[in-house]
Amino acid sequence: MDKHETLSKMERKLFSNNFQDGFIDLLFSAVFLQTALIVFISRLTEDNFWLYLSMSAVSLIFIGGAFLVRKYITAPRIGYIRFLRKRRKTTVAFLILDILVLAAGLAISFKIINITSIINPGIYTILPIAAIILVLFTLAALAFNILRLHIYGWIAAAAFPFGKWLDTLTGSRYALPLLLLTVSILMLGISLIILILFVRRNPSREEDKYGE
Amino acid sequence: MASNKKEKNNISEVLSELDRVIHSPARLMIMTYLYIVEAGDAVYLMNQTGLSWGNLSTHLSKLEEAGYVSINKTFINKKPKTVIELTDSGRKAFIEYKSKMKEFIGLTD
């Protein structure tokens, strides 16, 4: 029993270590940056669908970059690992749940918050957004077994009501978006530091030479 | 006294039944890291075990000869990869080795 538990823990640690290269951090930072940019732009200008869409492009560039970094820089250093079927199923289940929460969250948000209230949301309309973000991060943290994602989730979720409170306190309409932008840039910065440290700690291995 | 002798015999018996192919520390590490996943490449095994290319290659050859691992050259993302996985008999041998070691530890405790 003990041995089995130890092997299970080893497998769990191995799986978690597989994502300690900043890849997941970069993905979630990019999504949060997009949210922050949309809130920021919405307060700067009138409703502009194309402007919101261009903000998605910013986030897509970061997401694409994260995948390229993973493929060409970190994955060759980690090596190829095909995890056991049970682990793969659990991870996929968590990710599907994450997507469902996001979809349900968006649907609920659009039902209770219209675009005008996003531009100047009340504290009670902003709380569901914070809750959705917290659930998204928590599910991802559980799927990849990364503690940092729990912390990101709490900080990102807390930024919404705190930013709204700052809005009221300062009387400025930019307090909330600036706080969200600061949090997302902080998350991106941490992701990049994790990536740089990973690359420095794990020397590049030449292409698999085994058997040559 | 008789019980002591019987226990000694049991210990020798258990030790003699240990799988010599797996018993080497390097090969035991390789088997363990392959047991907890479905498959991995040489870089993964090198990272986890700390073995060099040469050492890893030597030990993998011995495990392959025993029929415990299968080594397949394949292409992943258009790049050649050597994918190593435990065979069914390798998994069985590892479980058997674990239970023998448990038995040995139980007898010596």
Side-chain angles (χ1 to χ4, degrees):
Chain A
M1 184 65 186
D2 284 345
K3 287 257 178 224
H4 184 71
E5 273 187 348
T6 308
L7 286 176
S8 298
K9 278 181 194 164
M10 262 178 84
E11 190 270 343
R12 201 172 153 81
K13 195 176 165 196
L14 182 70
F15 180 74
S16 171
N17 284 347
N18 200 29
F19 298 101
Q20 297 297 341
D21 57 351
F23 170 66
I24 301 289
D25 307 64
L26 272 173
L27 286 186
F28 276 81
S29 307
V31 173
F32 194 67
L33 177 69
Q34 184 191 340
T35 313
L37 282 173
I38 287 176
V39 175
F40 189 72
I41 297 295
S42 71
R43 297 216 175 175
L44 272 181
T45 61
E46 292 290 307
D47 260 3
N48 188 333
F49 174 76
W50 295 108
L51 206 55
Y52 294 148
L53 201 66
S54 62
M55 289 307 105
S56 303
V58 172
S59 145
L60 283 177
I61 288 168
F62 275 103
I63 292 172
F67 274 99
L68 287 176
V69 165
R70 173 82 174 178
K71 187 176 175 184
Y72 293 107
I73 299 176
T74 62
R77 286 168 159 85
I78 296 168
Y80 168 74
I81 308 168
R82 191 163 70 231
F83 286 94
L84 294 173
R85 191 182 296 266
K86 191 182 163 192
R87 166 66 64 191
R88 297 203 307 262
K89 273 186 175 176
T90 312
T91 311
V92 169
F94 266 114
L95 291 180
I96 289 173
L97 200 60
D98 225 1
I99 291 165
L100 287 177
V101 167
L102 182 64
L106 285 174
I108 293 166
S109 299
F110 282 116
K111 259 292 196 226
I112 60 169
I113 313 164
N114 57 34
I115 199 75
T116 323
S117 66
I118 288 178
I119 295 166
N120 194 12
I123 190 81
Y124 295 108
T125 51
I126 221 162
L127 285 178
I129 300 175
I132 290 160
I133 284 177
L134 185 59
V135 173
L136 283 176
F137 275 86
T138 304
L139 283 173
L142 293 173
F144 297 105
N145 194 26
I146 301 175
L147 178 71
R148 282 192 308 279
L149 290 178
H150 284 293
I151 300 167
Y152 291 155
W154 280 102
I155 293 173
F160 281 90
F162 186 62
K164 180 64 200 164
W165 176 73
L166 281 179
D167 266 357
T168 321
L169 191 75
T170 58
S172 161
R173 63 201 296 241
Y174 297 111
L176 172 67
L178 283 177
L179 182 68
L180 295 183
L181 271 178
T182 309
V183 170
S184 61
I185 289 167
L186 194 73
M187 279 164 64
L188 269 176
I190 293 171
S191 312
L192 289 174
I193 289 170
I194 292 169
L195 173 67
I196 291 165
L197 287 177
F198 176 87
V199 171
R200 284 181 68 172
R201 281 182 193 147
N202 296 276
S204 170
R205 304 258 189 210
E206 280 181 45
E207 202 172 288
D208 190 349
K209 282 182 175 171
Y210 179 78
E212 279 178 12
Chain B
M1 189 68 181
S3 147
N4 258 356
K5 200 175 176 185
K6 197 178 171 187
E7 201 167 86
K8 268 187 186 169
N9 279 343
N10 277 343
I11 291 172
S12 316
E13 219 172 89
V14 170
L15 282 176
S16 69
E17 284 171 359
L18 278 178
D19 192 327
R20 305 275 167 200
V21 179
I22 304 179
H23 197 58
S24 133
R27 288 194 290 273
L28 183 56
M29 273 199 290
I30 295 170
M31 290 288 285
T32 306
Y33 280 106
L34 286 176
Y35 182 78
I36 58 173
V37 296
E38 213 168 86
D41 69 354
V43 174
Y44 157 64
L45 286 176
M46 282 173 61
N47 282 342
Q48 301 303 323
T49 61
L51 294 170
S52 63
W53 285 113
N55 267 336
L56 181 66
S57 168
T58 309
H59 288 297
L60 281 176
S61 298
K62 284 188 182 164
L63 290 169
E64 194 180 20
E65 271 171 34
Y68 291 168
V69 299
S70 69
I71 302 167
N72 300 305
K73 283 263 181 195
T74 182
F75 282 86
I76 294 168
N77 292 332
K78 294 178 187 170
K79 282 189 172 180
K81 277 257 179 257
T82 306
V83 175
I84 306 137
E85 59 188 304
L86 280 189
T87 58
D88 287 345
S89 67
R91 285 198 178 266
K92 272 183 201 158
F94 184 75
I95 293 166
E96 177 74 10
Y97 178 84
K98 272 202 312 171
S99 79
K100 286 284 168 203
M101 282 302 282
K102 264 187 194 170
E103 203 179 322
F104 170 70
I105 289 163
L107 284 170
T108 53
D109 258 352

